[in-house]
């Protein structure tokens, strides 16, 4: 049966006033799985009003301890409904259970606990000062909620990335309006059921489903929204930032990347191969932190290429609930077209194809899904399109380098600066190179090791601001100074 995915506004699941829906497909089979309500002005206005009213009601005056307890309840209820979230997320995205079970769903719930703890342990600053008339004044800072926060999120890790923003926003006492990606709408609405079940007051968590160019546009322009936190493409981030200029509203942008991996000839080869296999191919390459440019020191170049090829050739492509699947399809037919156009462009520009480069032969129900092959190229120069632009597919280009200085320059020669990896057994070299790489995150001999208390965000075109741990409090609260003359 085809399901309906609705908006969740003011504690109610509703369809659009105009009755519009759009289709949502299973990426593994291209079968229609749901009809999704398409939000326009009416729904965005209703969500903003609900979110504003909630700030004036029970939620706005709730004690911090009660809010924290509610956040823990949300996480516990998500754990209880683990299988529902797992099913919904893997159907929308096509990603294997093996990934979603270990990353997406547990992290979705953890985001509520981590930020509840962060808020609980947040300290206030205090400064005592002498006054001109010989007395003393005391300054102290106080955090207050920013207000109504719009959360606009992407499709690659839908629940994880959405709760990464909703968690801290609610912990800080804000209300939210979430606009998930149109291709992965379901877990955001499912979270509405959780909020309702554990007694989060109505209007605190709102979801307006819809397309970016329609619903996202209306939401980001709405002057009742006090700040926007966005994850997605850099070009969309630019539009959101422009929208935020009107009304001088705060914006946090987590954007695209073209992340380098640097493999020195003194690395532990097995470690470098295993981690790079994950960083290139995990989630079918649809990870903002994933590697698309690999630089390998010349002495080990051929060995590395051959070993990564061997790993890629063994990846099992399959439907989400098949426990042997390593890799699912891409998220949508439009995204597959985009990735395949890059596959073609790489060859047009003279790449040497090491493996992949096309569409795999899938059988039965899977033959109409949005599959692409894990792909590796060599032989391109640094100005080639697939070396410069973010592909967001299961692919990488591998280039040789000779010196440390040369590879630092190659790694930094990008409009992006989100994440990078370095493989070497020389600790001095690791520190030296890490300090010179222009990216928000540098992993040494690892990838995707995430401590949620650490600052997360990108340099250059990869974003503005840092979220994570107490850094999230900077965005989700207004810091007020109170000065009392004694
Ligand atoms: P996208 O920019 O197309 O869409 C992201 C969200 O913005 C969606 O909800 C979409 O509907 C909405 N949107 C689109 N146009 C809009 C507009 N004009 N106004 C308002 N909202 C609009 O991105 P995507 O394709 O969903 O996600 C992939 C991109 O996200 C990649 O570039 C990836 O690198 C990036 N990403 C970055 C991070 C990070 O933490 N830096 C994490 C995940 C993904």
């Amino acid at each position: 049966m085809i399901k309906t995915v609705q908006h969740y506004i003011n504690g109610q699941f509703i369809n659009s006033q105009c009755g519009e829906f759009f289709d949502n497909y299973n990426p593994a089979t291209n079968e229609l799985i749901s009809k999704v309500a398409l939000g326009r002005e009416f729904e965005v206005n209703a969500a903003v009003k609900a979110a504003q009213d909630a700030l004036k009601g029970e939620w706005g005056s709730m004690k911090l301890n009660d809010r924290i307890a509610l956040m823990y309840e949300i996480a516990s209820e998500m754990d209880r409904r683990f299988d529902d979230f797992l099913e919904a997320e893997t159907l929308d995205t096509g990603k294997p259970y093996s990934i979603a079970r270990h990353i997406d769903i547990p992290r979705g719930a953890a985001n509520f606990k981590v930020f509840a703890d962060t808020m609980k342990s947040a300290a206030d600053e205090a400064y005592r000062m002498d006054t001109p008339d010989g007395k003393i004044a005391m300054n102290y800072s106080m955090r207050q909620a920013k207000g109504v926060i719009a959360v606009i999120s992407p499709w690659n890790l839908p629940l994880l990335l959405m709760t990464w923003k909703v968690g801290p926003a609610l912990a800080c006492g804000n209300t939210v309006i979430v606009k998930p990606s149109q291709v992965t709408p379901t877990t955001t609405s499912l979270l509405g059921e959780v909020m309702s079940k554990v007694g989060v007051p109505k209007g605190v968590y709102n979801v307006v489903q819809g397309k970016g160019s329609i619903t996202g546009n209306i939401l980001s322009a709405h002057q009742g929204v006090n700040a926007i936190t966005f994850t997605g493409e850099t070009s969309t981030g630019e539009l959101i930032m422009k929208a935020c200029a009107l009304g001088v509203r705060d914006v946090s942008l987590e954007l695209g990347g073209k992340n380098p991996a640097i493999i020195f000839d003194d690395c532990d080869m097995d470690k470098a191969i295993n981690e790079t296999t994950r960083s290139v191919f995990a989630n079918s390459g649809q990870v903002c932190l994933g590697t698309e440019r690999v630089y390998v020191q010349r002495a080990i170049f051929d060995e590395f290429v051959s070993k990564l090829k061997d790993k890629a050739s063994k990846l099992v492509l399959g439907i989400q609930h098949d426990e042997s699947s390593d890799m699912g399809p891409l998220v949508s037919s439009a995204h597959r077209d985009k990735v395949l156009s890059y596959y073609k462009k790489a060859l047009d520009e003279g790449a040497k194809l090491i493996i992949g480069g096309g569409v795999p032969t899938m059988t039965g129900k899977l033959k109409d899904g949005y599959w692409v092959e894990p792909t590796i190229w060599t032989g391109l120069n640094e100005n080639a399109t697939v070396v410069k632009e973010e592909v967001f597919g299961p692919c990488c280009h591998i280039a040789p380098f000779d010196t440390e200085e040369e590879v630092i320059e190659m790694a930094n020669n990008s409009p992006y600066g989100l994440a990078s990896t370095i493989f070497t057994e020389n600790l001095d070299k690791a520190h030296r190179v890490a300090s010179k790489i222009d990216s928000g995150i540098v992993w040494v001999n690892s990838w995707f090791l995430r401590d949620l208390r650490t600052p997360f965000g990108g340099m250059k075109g990869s974003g503005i601001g840092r979220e994570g741990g107490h850094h999230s409090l900077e965005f989700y609260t207004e810091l007020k100074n109170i000065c009392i003359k004694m």
Side-chain angles (χ1 to χ4, degrees):
M1 204 176 76
I2 308 299
K3 286 184 307 184
T4 302
V5 181
Q6 296 179 297
H7 311 295
Y8 180 70
I9 298 173
N10 207 23
Q12 303 279 321
F13 284 97
I14 54 166
N15 292 332
S16 298
Q17 189 203 35
C18 58
E20 275 178 282
F21 289 92
F22 59 93
D23 294 338
N24 180 30
Y25 295 92
N26 178 349
T29 60
N30 194 32
E31 287 167 327
L32 184 64
I33 48 176
S34 56
K35 293 268 182 193
V36 188
L38 175 64
R40 291 187 184 270
E41 275 87 358
F42 182 87
E43 288 72 34
V44 171
N45 287 341
V48 172
K49 167 96 174 48
Q52 288 173 329
D53 288 350
L55 286 167
K56 294 179 208 142
E58 183 194 350
W59 178 253
S61 52
M62 193 179 277
K63 295 270 178 302
L64 178 63
N65 276 348
D66 295 338
R67 212 161 67 217
I68 300 298
L70 210 42
M71 305 277 295
Y72 265 81
E73 269 302 300
I74 296 169
S76 301
E77 181 62 13
M78 289 178 79
D79 287 340
R80 280 192 284 275
R81 298 207 48 193
F82 191 95
D83 290 346
D84 296 338
F85 277 101
L86 182 69
E87 189 60 23
E89 195 75 323
T90 54
L91 258 187
D92 272 0
T93 57
K95 70 177 72 187
Y97 276 12
S98 55
I99 297 181
R101 188 184 284 132
H102 296 296
I103 298 178
D104 302 62
I105 315 302
R107 259 289 302 281
N111 282 332
F112 287 96
K113 290 194 223 163
V114 166
F115 288 105
D117 292 345
T118 306
M119 194 57 193
K120 198 166 180 187
S121 61
D124 296 324
E125 292 172 85
Y127 299 97
R128 187 194 297 259
M129 66 184 282
D130 295 337
T131 63
D133 60 355
K135 299 215 159 80
I136 286 174
M138 178 64 91
N139 294 277
Y140 67 93
S141 61
M142 190 188 139
R143 291 191 183 277
Q144 70 182 50
K146 209 164 230 173
V148 176
I149 310 282
V151 175
I152 302 182
S153 49
W155 46 254
N156 60 325
L157 298 156
L159 180 71
L160 184 160
L161 290 171
M162 181 265 292
T163 52
W164 167 247
K165 290 161 180 299
V166 171
L170 297 194
C172 293
N174 300 285
T175 55
V176 296
I177 302 164
V178 183
K179 209 298 284 168
S181 168
Q182 56 270 34
V183 292
T184 53
T186 315
T187 47
T188 310
S189 282
L190 204 50
L191 189 58
E193 291 179 22
V194 168
M195 299 285 175
S196 181
K197 176 81 192 296
V198 304
V200 171
K202 63 182 187 177
V204 171
Y205 174 81
N206 304 277
V207 178
V208 183
Q209 299 286 358
K211 302 191 173 179
S213 55
I214 302 170
T215 323
N217 216 3
I218 298 168
L219 180 61
S220 44
H222 200 297
Q223 293 300 300
V225 167
N226 300 104
I228 303 181
T229 176
F230 170 78
T231 304
E233 284 191 11
T234 299
S235 56
T236 316
E238 287 173 348
L239 294 176
I240 299 222
M241 200 170 173
K242 274 188 201 152
C244 282
L246 200 65
V248 195
R249 296 170 305 144
D250 206 355
V251 62
S252 170
L253 299 175
E254 295 182 345
L255 307 177
K258 187 74 189 172
N259 308 308
I262 301 174
I263 323 284
F264 286 102
D265 60 11
D266 57 4
C267 72
D268 174 326
M269 180 61 92
D270 288 344
K271 219 185 276 175
I273 287 290
N274 288 335
E275 296 295 302
T276 308
T277 303
R278 289 200 310 123
S279 74
V280 174
F281 302 113
N283 208 33
S284 306
Q286 303 166 122
V287 182
C288 57
L289 304 166
T291 302
E292 291 195 1
R293 296 182 289 148
V294 184
Y295 298 106
V296 183
Q297 206 153 19
R298 204 171 295 276
I300 58 165
F301 182 79
D302 291 340
E303 181 190 356
F304 184 93
V305 171
S306 144
K307 287 189 164 161
L308 197 68
K309 175 186 176 184
D310 187 49
K311 284 280 187 186
S313 71
K314 292 184 177 137
L315 292 171
V316 177
L317 275 60
I319 197 157
Q320 63 270 21
H321 49 254
D322 181 345
E323 295 289 347
S324 64
S325 301
D326 298 310
M327 222 180 91
L330 296 178
V331 78
S332 65
S333 61
H335 189 55
R336 184 178 66 163
D337 291 347
K338 178 176 161 189
V339 170
L340 287 177
S341 76
Y342 279 113
Y343 281 15
K344 178 174 180 310
K345 190 102 180 164
L347 298 184
D348 291 348
E349 292 183 1
K352 177 175 174 201
L353 187 63
I354 301 300
I355 191 168
V359 176
T361 309
M362 305 300 282
T363 54
K365 269 169 55 155
L366 305 191
K367 70 178 175 3
D368 295 326
Y370 318 136
W371 304 93
V372 297
E373 290 177 323
T375 294
I376 300 173
W377 308 282
T378 59
L380 290 170
N381 69 41
E382 288 297 288
N383 292 318
T385 310
V386 299
V387 182
K388 284 263 157 249
E389 296 180 13
E390 183 186 46
V391 179
F392 222 52
C395 58
C396 68
H397 177 258
I398 314 181
F401 72 90
D402 293 301
T403 66
E404 196 177 305
E405 294 67 34
E406 179 193 11
V407 78
I408 290 169
E409 196 167 323
M410 288 161 114
N412 286 341
N413 182 18
S414 168
Y416 295 106
L418 187 54
S420 51
T421 56
I422 299 169
F423 292 88
T424 173
E425 293 297 294
N426 178 330
L427 196 56
D428 279 353
K429 192 192 288 179
H431 283 300
R432 201 165 55 233
V433 176
S435 72
K436 291 182 183 155
I437 297 292
D438 298 334
S439 67
I441 302 169
V442 182
W443 277 290
V444 176
N445 296 329
S446 62
W447 178 72
F448 212 101
L449 254 185
R450 291 276 296 119
D451 181 326
L452 303 184
R453 296 166 300 181
T454 58
F456 180 92
M459 298 184 183
K460 302 191 272 186
S462 290
I464 291 188
R466 295 290 179 274
E467 296 196 29
H470 67 88
H471 304 278
S472 293
L473 306 189
E474 299 305 319
F475 178 73
Y476 293 102
T477 61
E478 290 288 3
L479 197 53
K480 178 157 58 188
N481 186 65
I482 297 170
C483 178
I484 301 185
K485 191 171 175 194
M486 310 284 199

